Amino acid sequence: MHILTSYLKFLWNSSNAHGVHSPFVFDLVRKCFYDTKKYGEYKTLKKYRNSLLENKNMIEVTDFGSGSRVFKSNIRAINQIAKNAGVSSKNARLLFRIVRYFQPENVLEIGTSLGLATSALTLGNSKAKITTLEGCPQTAKVAQQQFQDFNFSVTSIVTKFEAYLESENIQSATYDLIYFDGNHSKEATLHYFEALLPTITNETVWIFDDIHWSSGMQEAWETIKKHPKVTVTIDTFQWGLVFFRKEQEKEHFILRTSNYFVVNSILGIRKLWGLLP
């Protein structure tokens, strides 16, 4: 009910590129969000996903986060994890385009899972240094095998997120892009935010997944928006994008990620209520 209410509010308050007066954000929306080109990398993203959807092996998931609304047991089939817990096909393509648009050289992902988002990060800029963190050894093992099978150059680290963020690895690091898809709780999200602030540059972009997942995550998002180092944010409902560009006036945008967003949203709401199969 919380997600549905938040979604309806988002639909009411959101706009498309025509409602954006910032040249930086307008170009991002028009050239990246609304880019309809059929990139060859999309086929690789689909192949990566399908290879997981065909994998019926069972693994034991160690969950250090806020739990799952889908799974009742920690013994889970890989194909079901890919179907229910990974980034959607649409958002994987959008993540690919965001990376392709900004061309970050040093990327950090918090929460590898099976590597669906990691594949988009990697394909967006094959020259980037990708570091991805995962707390569950069994899940990470599957992702690492996938990276090997697809010849992805990824540094995959099995660790508790807090331990890594407090290590020497962070002290001298700078990241051009960070994708946050780990512990979806208010406390953890704000902890990651504060711990990683020393790694930002003027061009850094952060992407927070599931900012409307719970009232706590929405509160965390509002706190992040108010931080003095944050200048521009974009709420796409699924994600919250954060920028630290000092030359930008502080602005917050609520934007649809495609020209067909409203139609797709109506279908999504009907499906949520069980009106469609």
Side-chain angles (χ1 to χ4, degrees), residues 86-145:
V87 65
S88 68
S89 297
K90 175 187 173 184
N91 282 333
R93 293 192 294 269
L94 176 57
L95 185 58
F96 160 80
R97 295 198 303 274
I98 290 173
V99 175
R100 183 181 181 277
Y101 183 82
F102 288 109
Q103 287 293 290
E105 296 180 358
N106 205 8
V107 176
L108 176 66
E109 178 184 30
I110 300 180
T112 315
S113 187
L114 299 176
L116 287 164
T118 323
S119 64
L121 295 170
T122 305
L123 291 168
N125 182 9
S126 60
K127 297 180 180 179
K129 178 183 177 182
I130 311 288
T131 302
T132 183
L133 312 179
E134 175 56 49
C136 172
Q138 290 297 310
T139 308
K141 185 177 180 181
V142 175
Q144 289 164 358
Q145 184 61 55

Side-chain angles (χ1 to χ4, degrees), residues 194-205:
E194 293 290 346
L196 286 163
L197 274 177
T199 73
I200 66 172
T201 70
N202 195 63
E203 306 304 317
T204 293
V205 53

